[in-house]
Amino acid sequence: MINLKINPDIVNPLLGYKLDPGEPGIASSAPASLSIIRVLQQETGNLLAFKKEALQNGGYVVYSKISLDMQKRGAFLAAVAGKTQVQIIYKNKNTNIRNKKNQNNNIDNNVDKNKDQKIKKLEMLIDRLKNYLISEKDNKIKSELENKIKILETQLLLLKLGNAVSNQNDEILGMIFTAYF
C-alpha cells in the first residue's frame, strides 16, 4: 500500500496581494480558493470610492468596469489581480458665463455661441462613448453604451434643429468627460 501525503499549500496556496500606490485598503493575502472574493471585495470598494468622489464633486459615473486577472494556482482558478475603470462626467461650469460688457449688444451672438459650444461638447461626448464601445467586450456594457449614444445623438439632432430642450436634457448637454480612471 502506497501512502500519499497531499501538501495543502500546494493544492490551495496562499496568495499575497499588494495595493496600487495611493489605493485605499489593507494589503493582505488569501488562499487561492478565496482569492476571487478577496480581489472583488477590494475592487468593489474602489468603485464605491470613485462614485462617492464623483458625487461630492458634482459628477456622474456613466461607465464602470471591474476586471479580474484569473490564473490557475494550485487546484483553483484564482484572481491574482484586479482593475477598476470608471468614466465620470461633470457639468461644464463655464457654459453660463457671459461677458457683461457685450451682453446687451451681442445677446444673439452669445446664444449662438453657447449653442455651438453645446453641440461641440455633445459631439465630443458621443465620439468618446463610441471609442469606448469599440474597445468594450462585455455585451451588457456594449448595450448600455449604445443606448446612451442613441439618446445623446437624438439630443444633438434636436439641438441642431433648434428645438427647445428640457432642463433635464440641458444638463446632459452641459456635461463633458473630465476623468477616466
Side-chain angles (χ1 to χ4, degrees):
M1 180 161 183
I2 300 175
N3 187 4
L4 297 175
K5 292 184 180 180
I6 298 175
N7 184 350
D9 292 333
I10 293 174
V11 175
N12 193 14
L14 194 61
L15 305 176
Y17 297 101
K18 63 180 179 177
L19 301 175
D20 291 332
E23 183 178 12
I26 299 171
S28 61
S29 58
S33 60
L34 299 176
S35 64
I36 295 173
I37 294 171
R38 163 69 183 86
V39 174
L40 191 57
Q41 178 183 19
Q42 178 66 30
E43 298 306 321
T44 303
N46 291 344
L47 177 60
L48 292 174
F50 286 135
K51 286 183 176 184
K52 179 181 176 185
E53 180 182 334
L55 186 62
Q56 289 174 342
N57 295 324
Y60 178 73
V61 175
V62 293
Y63 170 81
S64 60
K65 178 180 178 181
I66 294 177
S67 305
L68 301 180
D69 183 9
M70 305 295 286
Q71 296 179 5
K72 187 172 189 290
R73 293 290 194 255
F76 296 92
L77 185 61
V80 296
K83 179 180 178 182
T84 302
Q85 294 176 323
V86 177
Q87 296 167 11
I88 303 171
I89 54 175
Y90 294 96
K91 287 184 186 178
N92 184 0
K93 297 176 183 172
N94 297 324
T95 56
N96 294 326
I97 297 174
R98 292 185 179 172
N99 186 347
K100 291 184 180 181
K101 292 179 183 177
N102 296 329
Q103 187 173 4
N104 293 334
N105 298 334
N106 299 321
I107 291 175
D108 292 333
N109 290 340
N110 284 339
V111 170
D112 289 340
K113 194 181 263 186
N114 269 346
K115 187 176 177 181
D116 290 341
Q117 287 175 347
K118 286 181 181 182
I119 288 172
K120 286 179 185 177
K121 288 176 187 175
L122 189 53
E123 288 171 339
M124 182 180 73
L125 178 61
I126 291 169
D127 288 342
R128 288 188 179 178
L129 285 175
K130 285 181 178 179
N131 287 338
Y132 293 126
L133 179 65
I134 291 169
S135 64
E136 184 54 52
K137 292 179 176 71
D138 187 331
N139 288 333
K140 183 177 178 184
I141 294 172
K142 274 187 171 184
S143 175
E144 290 175 13
L145 285 172
E146 287 170 348
N147 288 337
K148 289 179 183 182
I149 290 169
K150 286 178 186 176
I151 290 169
L152 292 173
E153 286 176 336
T154 302
Q155 296 307 317
L156 178 62
L157 181 62
L158 289 174
L159 187 61
K160 285 182 176 180
L161 293 174
N163 291 342
V165 180
S166 71
N167 288 339
Q168 179 184 5
N169 296 337
D170 201 30
E171 273 187 29
I172 293 171
L173 296 174
M175 295 179 184
I176 59 170
F177 271 103
T178 58
Y180 178 67
F181 296 96

